[in-house]
């Protein structure tokens, strides 16, 4: 990163330790030219990074806990996911559409993006590396039970496993099953046991010890 | 579709080995690439769409697709799209990269 870049002094020190290969330079060149041309500002960049940093699976967990404790919300979530999340949870999912799929005693849902890495970033935060890996992308649709086993998740053979392949405009959120023994828990406590992987479908929610 | 005419990104149903459920922390430069893309895609005019980004990634040479990292594919695609749209000039971009490589 050039120390003489008038727009970005605040980043220079941080970037000194980073890899400096061709693509890092390409990224820095693209960014500095766009800022110079007034397409966006360095402040816009920082604000956007902070906005994405604030998104995490905790948001998704709140949505799941609300659905477990409010039948009406759950029905709206399953029928018009994006609208319910935006209007009732006041979380902007940004994505064009969000489809919420419910795990039941008969069905377990798993989400993948075989072509790339589409993911509900503004509900769950950035996708984990494995979600973007060739192994997960290629095999989730071919041998989902085998892939789930690699996560330590064994789905009862009697349950159907449904795999959903995401697109840029259609992203999925799994509504996991509420584990037995948590009936009557408050929403906040329930949210605490919902992990990222349970909302992608590679794990099931277990009650806290 | 037979496997020999698949494009590189189209890997659904293939077997690319076991999943390693690990994660590394995203690097600051990767966050900046992500932010550039989202600043462009979330504008009212959706200046660069996610589909365009993906199309640009899919057009990378197969041998490159497989050897560079996730956000490296993003910036390779995004910079090509910005040149295509006339926002960036290829010579200007190359010159800026060279200057950075020279430690300017």
């Amino acid at each position: 990163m050039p120390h003489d870049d008038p727009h970005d002094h605040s980043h220079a020190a941080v970037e000194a330790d980073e890899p400096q290969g061709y693509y890092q330079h390409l990224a820095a060149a693209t960014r500095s030219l766009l800022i110079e041309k007034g397409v966006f500002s360095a402040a816009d960049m920082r604000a956007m990074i902070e906005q994405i940093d604030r998104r995490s699976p905790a948001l998704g967990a709140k949505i799941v806990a609300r659905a477990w404790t409010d039948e009406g919300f759950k029905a709206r979530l399953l029928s018009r996911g994006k609208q319910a999340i935006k209007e009732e949870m006041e979380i902007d999912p940004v994505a064009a559409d969000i489809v919420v799929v419910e795990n039941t005693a008969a069905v377990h849902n798993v989400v993948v993006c075989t072509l790339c890495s589409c993911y509900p970033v503004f509900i769950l935060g950035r996708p984990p590396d494995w979600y973007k890996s060739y192994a997960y992308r290629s095999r989730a649709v071919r041998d989902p039970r085998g892939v789930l086993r690699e996560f330590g998740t064994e789905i009862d053979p009697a349950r159907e496993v449904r795999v959903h392949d995401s697109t840029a405009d259609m992203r999925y959120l799994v509504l996991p099953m509420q584990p037995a023994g948590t009936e009557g828990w408050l929403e906040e406590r329930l949210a605490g046991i919902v992990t990222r992987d349970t909302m992608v479908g590679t794990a099931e929610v277990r009650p806290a010890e | 579709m037979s496997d020999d005419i698949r494009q590189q990104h189209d890997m659904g149903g293939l077997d690319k080995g076991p999943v390693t459920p690990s994660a590394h922390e995203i690097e600051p430069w990767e966050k900046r690439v992500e932010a550039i893309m989202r600043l462009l895609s979330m504008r009212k005019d959706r200046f660069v769409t996610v589909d365009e980004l993906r199309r640009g990634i899919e057009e990378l040479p197969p041998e490159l697709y497989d050897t560079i990292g996730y956000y490296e594919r993003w910036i390779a695609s995004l910079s090509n799209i910005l040149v295509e749209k006339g926002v960036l000039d290829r010579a200007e971009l190359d010159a800026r990269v060279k200057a950075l490589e020279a430690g300017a």
Side-chain angles (χ1 to χ4, degrees):
Chain A
M1 203 53 43
H3 288 247
D4 59 353
D5 180 342
H7 302 282
D8 252 341
H9 279 209
S10 59
H11 281 159
V14 183
E15 292 168 13
D17 293 337
E18 291 184 53
Q20 292 293 312
Y22 170 74
Y23 291 97
Q24 286 78 35
H25 290 313
L26 180 62
T30 302
R31 177 180 55 131
S32 62
L33 286 168
L34 290 173
I35 290 173
E36 282 165 31
K37 291 170 191 293
V39 176
F40 50 70
S41 69
D44 293 334
M45 284 275 303
R46 281 191 287 276
M48 178 56 71
I49 289 171
E50 284 165 14
Q51 189 192 342
I52 304 170
D53 281 346
R54 281 196 298 270
R55 305 296 174 127
S56 79
L59 295 175
K62 276 189 189 173
I63 296 168
V64 169
R66 174 73 57 88
W68 283 349
T69 53
D70 179 341
E71 282 293 329
F73 173 71
K74 179 176 151 182
R76 291 186 292 277
L77 185 68
L78 292 173
S79 61
R80 292 167 295 120
K82 181 177 177 176
Q83 203 177 330
I85 291 166
K86 198 165 182 172
E87 292 172 5
E88 300 185 53
M89 301 300 295
E90 294 180 351
I91 297 167
D92 182 1
V94 179
D97 203 5
I98 297 281
V99 173
V100 180
V101 287
E102 183 186 16
N103 284 351
T104 65
V107 177
H108 179 87
N109 295 283
V110 185
V111 180
V112 64
C113 175
T114 61
L115 293 176
C116 149
S117 59
C118 300
Y119 187 80
V121 172
F122 288 85
I123 295 176
L124 296 182
R126 298 182 178 91
D129 286 353
W130 57 257
Y131 188 82
K132 304 182 283 188
S133 71
Y134 291 4
Y136 186 76
R137 286 168 50 189
S138 65
R139 288 178 49 247
V141 289
R142 172 195 179 110
D143 177 22
R145 288 175 194 271
V147 168
L148 292 183
R149 242 171 254 129
E150 287 157 21
F151 287 84
T153 301
E154 188 71 45
I155 302 298
D156 186 325
R159 293 174 73 203
E160 178 191 344
V161 173
R162 261 181 222 163
V163 183
H164 304 271
D165 196 353
S166 316
T167 67
D169 293 327
M170 174 87 83
R171 302 177 190 225
Y172 295 90
L173 183 73
V174 174
L175 175 57
M177 275 198 289
Q178 181 172 353
T182 62
E183 299 81 6
W185 284 23
L186 292 176
E187 214 173 304
E188 291 72 23
R189 190 175 176 202
L190 287 169
I193 60 171
V194 179
T195 61
R196 177 193 66 204
D197 291 7
T198 67
M199 295 179 278
V200 182
T202 52
E204 294 190 279
V205 179
R206 308 193 178 288
E209 295 301 315
Chain B
M1 180 164 63
S2 73
D3 284 354
D4 56 359
I5 58 163
R6 270 178 194 261
Q7 279 186 279
Q8 204 65 4
H9 67 280
D10 182 11
M11 59 183 74
L14 302 180
D15 182 354
K16 293 193 179 261
V19 178
T20 314
S22 67
H24 89 293
E25 278 296 302
I26 184 171
E27 292 180 24
W29 81 269
E30 295 175 320
K31 284 189 180 184
R32 289 193 293 273
V33 170
E34 181 185 42
I36 294 170
M37 177 57 202
R38 298 213 189 278
L39 281 169
L40 297 170
S41 70
M42 287 165 64
R43 281 161 48 133
K44 287 231 170 359
D45 63 2
R46 302 187 76 202
F47 191 71
V48 176
T49 68
V50 178
D51 300 291
E52 280 179 301
L53 176 73
R54 214 190 76 200
R55 189 261 300 164
I57 291 172
E58 290 164 7
E59 283 176 0
L60 297 174
E63 61 281 8
L64 186 63
Y65 186 97
D66 275 346
T67 52
I68 66 178
Y70 181 76
Y71 287 103
E72 292 177 337
R73 294 198 287 270
W74 273 41
I75 194 61
S77 164
L78 189 53
S79 59
N80 286 338
I81 290 169
L82 289 168
V83 169
E84 235 175 61
K85 288 179 184 285
V87 177
L88 298 182
D89 175 77
R90 176 65 68 192
E92 167 189 55
L93 183 61
D94 289 348
R96 182 64 58 96
V97 170
K98 280 208 168 53
L100 289 168
E101 282 173 342

